[in-house]
Amino acid sequence: MPCPSRSDELVFFVNGRKVIERNADPEVTLLSFLRKNLRLTGTKYACGRGGCGACTVMVSKRDPTSQEIRHFSVTACLVPICSLYGAAVTTVEGVGSIKTRLHPVQERIAKSHGTQCGFCTPGMVMSMYTLLRNHPQPSEEQLLEALAGNLCRCTGYRPILASGKTFCLESNGCQQKGTGKCCLDLGENDSSSLGRKSDICTELFVKEEFQPLDPTQELIFPPELLRMAEDPENRTLTFHGERVTWISPGTFKDLLELKAKHPEAPLILGNTSLGPAMRSKGHFHPILLSPARISELNVVSKTNDGLTIGAGCSLAHVKDILAERVSELPEEKTQTYRALLKHLKSLASQQIRNMASLGGHIISRHSYSDLNPILAVGNTTLNLTSEEGTRRIPLSEHFLAGLASADLKPEEILESVYIPHSQKWEFVSAFRQAQCQHNALPDVNAGMRVLFKEGTDIIEDLSITYGGVGAATVSAHKSCQQLLGRQWDELMLDEACRWLLDEVSLPGWAPGGRVEFKRTLVVSFFFKFYLQVLQELKKLIKPFPVPNSRHYPEISDRFLSALEDFPGTVPQGVQRYQSVDSHQPLQDPVGRPVMHLSGLKHATGEAEFCDDIPMVDKELHMALVTSTRAYAKIISIDLSKALEIPGVVDVITAKDIPGTNGTEDDKLLAVDEVLCVGQIICAVVAETDVQAKRAIEKIKITYEELEPIIFTIEDAIKHNSFLCPEKKLEQGNIEEAFEKVDQIVEGEVHVGGQEHFYMETQRVLVIPKTEDKELDIYVSTQDPAHVQKTVSSTLHIPINRITCHVKRVGGGFGGKIGRPAVFGAIAAVGALKTGHPIRLVLDREDDMLITGGRHPLFGKYKVGFMNNGRIKALDIECFINGGCTLDDSELVTEFLILKLENAYKIRNLRFRGRACLTNLPSNTAFRGFGFPQGTLVTESCITAVAAKCGLPPEKIREKNMYRTVDKTIYKQAFNPESLIRCWNECLDTSSFHNRRMQVEEFNKKNYWKKRGIAVIPMKFSVGFAATSYHQAAALVHIYTDGSVLVTHGGNELGQGIHTKMLQVASRELKIPMSYLHICETSTATVPNTIATAASIGADTNGRAVQNACQILLKRLEPIIKKNPEGTWEEWIEAAFEQRISLSATGYFRGYKAFMDWEKGEGDPFPYYVYGAACSEVEIDCLTGAHKKIRTDIVMDACCSLNPAIDIGQIEGAFIQGMGLYTTEELKYSPEGVLYSRGPDEYKIPTISDVPEEFNVSLLPSSQTPLTIYSSKGLGESGMFLGSSVFFAITDAVAAARKERDIAEDFTVKSPATPEWVRMACADRFTEMIPRDDPKTFKPWSITVA
């Protein structure tokens, strides 16, 4: 390593202010520099690998060739600060602030209700802001592209898009909008109650109130940087870090000299490949060369026969260059360019494309590279340079495989890339299939090129290259050679497929799994290419009437749809809700779409989350050490090497716990044995998070494996490994009923687990006070009282010494009920032992590894029914994978069984459920709590009955639905009137019956694309099944100036509970909301609170706030009577003078709820939420991809407290449910290690997964006397409605199978990933692939459901 002589000064600007960093460390990213050094905490840390967009900022630089200022959105977590020399960075704080002035982007995203938890909002704002700096009036497509790299787990994206659309040029929206009507408002024959009513609103915000966008008001590019750019320094800049040296030469000559001197040093531009590798794989380079200032690497030159692009050009720039070339040249010359453009649209995200360079992409040679296969078949040449001179090598399979003879020499660099034009009679195509359309690494991709002898269909040259099917990009060279001279016909196709499968072979144990799917794609892609080329040939041959020439194979019209890819379209939709009564006072906010209280602060980055709290004096950082074995004895733990690392203060183990170490079965820190990979063994405390993480690597733990190791439900059943006794409900006589039915069907359903993927990972800050063992704990949790109790028992100090504070939580979904207590307790032990404040922030990988998620489920059903579809008997047995400790698994099993019947009245039922004990991290509460998995079994059962009866599934649903006031299987009485209304309304507003006919028509005409449509009813029970869990308290203070402080026991998770509480207080006290404030949820103000969960937070806390306000108003009554014309302030002053207490505790004793499992009856739930959803999809039978055409949801919210928040909850839950059932797949290794530990491997829905038309309606004029102002809790119920997409997909798959004469019953597996869809649509291509005997190899991953 070079001697650390003095570093140069790093100069860049942040939000218009100059930053001079004299000791820049190349290992420090812009994200940590902004958050720690500059205290700009608006930019959030959520994944650390550029996959979620939460840390998006804008970087501006002067383009040396065009002299223009260019603005890019980038993910700050990947940008090394050393790469920012001479750049201007704009963060969300620089865009606008509530203290000075808001930017229109910030105002609109907040007022359009585009924020819920608000953790992803600054990133969204920055992506949109950058777009507007480049295109003040963008198109909707540009908006979609700009936001495709930003994940949101709360909103369902629609309101975010709605805010962005207000900046777009008038688009293909509704033509009648100006008249106040909209074509989407009309149902099938306008008989629906939603169409007729005049009191139905469709606007959640008023566009006219927005301030206009004025591009002249933006921050200017710093003049000093302009001067630096105009007169660039050519000297080499060097930045020495602790371990790494960053060298940035000023001239090309210097770069070549440095490369000769340090041949091992990589060139670094975007850091999108090196960054994640250094982070997750531990790759380390002591010297990094940055060619960012070398203009020669950005040169673009056009010639008559091709295009040379500098290796330093970003992929976004390459996209623009190619698009320009395609518009200038005739079609025949741009085949390769168009193929590249197609992949550049879906490759990674806008932020990554802005950072990644073409050279870096090529040289990284990732097996999944989307561009290399196309560049390889397009005969691309690489221009290399070194001190010795220049040379050219082909970008060939040998280069891609990394063969030394075809590779760069260590001292060479890639200067530019030459891509030749295509020619007439030459066709180039690109294909890719990934878990979802955008921002996802491909499972398989391909580049294919064919050249014909002029005027014929005889193959003169053929080149096919695949990515994703091996360790490197693979060329099918042999197969291509064998096909030369052949005609382009069916015979050639058959042989080609066989040869390709032979040559591009993939072993059964191949990394990444999905082996049979990948093999199928190899031939499916070639078939698509075959059809595309046939189509093109037809156009070309027509003008060549050759006598006696043979006729081309005809493509039947039914095959043509195979040629089209699904286009990315911007979602449209309508949200309908009942407007408030015209007599309601204007200042009464209940029932109005009030903006989220923190909305504007979310949008400016000023909303403070747990990790945004400034560093406390003497604060230390904690990092956790987790088990690498699934079930083993701990033989020894060697901490010596870790404690030697500078900055490491201590290591906390189970011996340091003064009180109780969790429970007997569920330890906070492992003692003697570990039960799963990811179990916490000890924790390192150090001065910085970097030191703590380095120390973890040095801790050596020796294990001794134990038996039996159980991961799957199947193994648990075999070993009789269960967490709790079986839960069972029964009604009628099931055995007798089975004897009297016409038909019986049995089936199995597998539902995979789900990761919470809250945007804010688990985090806690523990601050010990100087006296009486007091602790202040700032924690991201849904249940601060549980954290408080756990810390109390762990430290063996009374609860009254511990105060937990929750300001807001960046998403919870059930994942922050039980787990935060564990992290809080471990951090508290560290704080007690060291006497220092402790900050613990989990990385995304650790969070996903340690915390567990939704329970995977395996269900078996047996159903007896009559030929007309009436179900007489149903027997369901469910097993859930609980993981290694009990956690909430017993409760989940109970709720699952209670909710299994969904909306159906079946006289003879038997439901049984078991929670399996396995060696996986313990699964826990998750939105819906068992209902989304269990009810999928019930609905699959309905679909199976429909198939056997030859009736559409909706007919079976209607026939078996509850119709009149009745009792559930557990004998709770209810009235299904609203359920029936939701169902009919949904059929009506979605024009279901018309569309069902259109779907059938479409399917007759198309062989390779199929559509499916499904409508699903829902009866969702709200609440905990125990009265004591429904209690709530509030504390309301009125101060002498008339302002009011409200506190209550609910936590703000993004669901708008604080907003709703102030709406309640405003109505009760009859004062405007501006008089009211909520500071935080704290165990010191409202004690003994219940977790904010089970959709019931606003219900119960609302009643407590109401109670407190009514007590206060009663006390003020005599004063108001005396002076009825007085102001609120005068009344309060008078009350104080008369010594009337202006503080009151409100209390709600809770809804009655109980369940007797011995008898199998009870009233476990206070009330039900009813709903229905209809979704239509189209699938591509050749690749397994699908697009969501339309979704209509009707939900019975009764009288919504805040329709904007409630519709937001429904949409967010629906999209999250859709993720559960379509793309979110957890993969475990055969050793029980979770592979999918970040957004790269685990795919939550992105903005491009939202249905093209997405309509949500709240059922008008329905009442429930029980709850506050007749409102209902809607936090969880929408989750299951996402299954309408799943059943629409299975409907489309069933249509494909029927047409191909394959048995219609298939095992139902969720999620319906492209792999499952493709393999279920069996055809000649799935038939021809080789299959492996599972006994002959160890698979890459196992299925745990």
Side-chain angles (χ1 to χ4, degrees), residues 131 135 137-147 350 570:
L131 172 70
H135 306 280
Q137 274 196 310
S139 69
E140 291 193 352
E141 284 63 37
Q142 285 171 321
L143 176 68
L144 203 59
E145 186 175 43
L147 292 173
Q350 182 72 46
V570 181

Side-chain angles (χ1 to χ4, degrees), residues 252-528:
F252 197 34
K253 183 169 165 291
D254 293 348
L255 175 65
L256 297 177
E257 271 172 31
L258 282 163
K259 189 66 177 137
K261 192 171 159 194
H262 308 290
E264 295 309 304
L267 266 61
I268 177 168
L269 266 173
N271 199 36
T272 54
S273 179
L274 279 179
M278 289 199 272
R279 188 187 150 81
S280 56
K281 300 191 184 115
H283 290 188
F284 178 70
H285 306 281
I287 295 179
L288 296 171
L289 301 180
S290 163
R293 295 155 61 222
I294 314 288
S295 54
E296 284 88 337
L297 294 182
N298 290 316
V299 173
V300 178
S301 64
K302 307 170 186 174
T303 57
N304 289 337
D305 50 4
L307 182 58
T308 303
I309 303 179
C313 291
S314 71
L315 295 183
H317 188 35
V318 170
K319 186 165 167 269
D320 297 341
I321 296 163
L322 292 173
E324 187 191 334
R325 243 9 225 140
V326 165
S327 65
E328 297 165 348
L329 291 167
E331 200 174 313
E332 63 198 42
K333 291 193 172 179
T334 59
Q335 294 272 338
T336 313
Y337 304 159
R338 283 206 309 270
L340 286 165
L341 270 175
K342 178 183 156 184
H343 278 188
L344 278 166
K345 280 194 179 111
S346 52
L347 185 149
S349 62
Q350 182 72 46
Q351 292 94 316
I352 299 293
R353 291 193 295 270
N354 286 334
M355 296 155 71
S357 64
L358 177 62
H361 183 93
I362 291 171
I363 296 288
S364 299
R365 286 176 272 208
H366 292 298
S367 63
Y368 50 74
S369 156
D370 272 326
L371 304 185
N372 286 347
I374 311 169
L375 293 169
V377 298
N379 293 325
T380 302
T381 309
L382 305 178
N383 299 320
L384 312 178
T385 311
S386 67
E387 280 194 302
E388 314 292 282
T390 59
R391 68 184 186 112
R392 306 179 65 173
I393 60 168
L395 192 158
S396 62
E397 58 174 316
H398 300 308
F399 165 78
L400 292 171
L403 292 182
S405 57
D407 205 349
L408 286 76
K409 297 182 184 138
E411 69 280 5
E412 285 181 321
I413 64 161
L414 172 58
E415 184 181 350
S416 61
V417 178
Y418 169 72
I419 314 169
H421 293 331
S422 54
Q423 53 197 43
K424 203 169 181 179
W425 301 100
E426 185 172 29
F427 305 102
V428 184
S429 287
F431 305 94
R432 82 191 295 270
Q433 181 52 46
Q435 191 80 341
C436 48
Q437 261 187 309
H438 286 273
N439 205 10
L441 295 175
D443 290 320
V444 179
N445 56 23
M448 303 187 184
R449 180 184 62 86
V450 63
L451 173 67
F452 292 106
K453 281 210 173 89
E454 194 168 333
T456 71
D457 64 348
I458 302 223
I459 302 170
E460 192 171 294
D461 191 17
L462 179 63
S463 179
I464 299 174
T465 308
Y466 290 102
V469 288
T473 305
V474 179
S475 161
H477 185 66
K478 267 205 335 248
S479 309
C480 293
Q481 284 303 309
Q482 282 169 295
L483 291 167
L484 297 184
R486 298 288 296 270
Q487 285 184 312
W488 196 256
D489 56 17
E490 283 285 330
L491 196 61
M492 180 282 305
L493 172 68
D494 275 354
E495 292 200 347
C497 289
R498 284 208 305 280
W499 286 335
L500 283 170
L501 283 171
D502 208 30
E503 186 172 2
V504 184
S505 63
L506 202 59
W509 47 262
R514 305 188 180 133
V515 170
E516 293 186 352
F517 174 49
K518 289 179 173 183
R519 289 172 183 161
T520 308
L521 287 178
V522 165
V523 282
S524 298
F525 284 166
F526 184 72
F527 176 63
K528 282 196 159 211

Side-chain angles (χ1 to χ4, degrees), residues 12 20 65 96 196 406 536 539 552 635 763 925 937 952 1042 1118 1122:
F12 62 105
I20 301 177
T65 32
R196 273 197 324 275
E536 295 297 320
K539 290 185 204 159
Y552 282 116
I635 303 295
R763 40 196 75 178
V937 181
K1122 215 181 205 171

Side-chain angles (χ1 to χ4, degrees), residues 873-919:
L874 177 58
D875 186 359
I876 295 182
E877 188 172 16
C878 289
F879 298 91
I880 59 172
N881 194 329
C884 60
T885 62
L886 183 60
D887 200 293
D888 280 332
S889 295
E890 186 163 15
L891 273 175
V892 170
T893 312
E894 289 179 3
F895 273 52
L896 183 93
I897 296 303
L898 289 168
K899 299 180 181 206
L900 261 179
E901 62 170 26
N902 195 15
Y904 307 112
K905 170 72 182 170
I906 297 163
R907 303 223 171 268
N908 305 288
L909 288 172
R910 179 167 60 206
F911 295 155
R912 287 168 294 171
R914 298 278 332 237
C916 300
L917 169 62
T918 61
N919 296 108

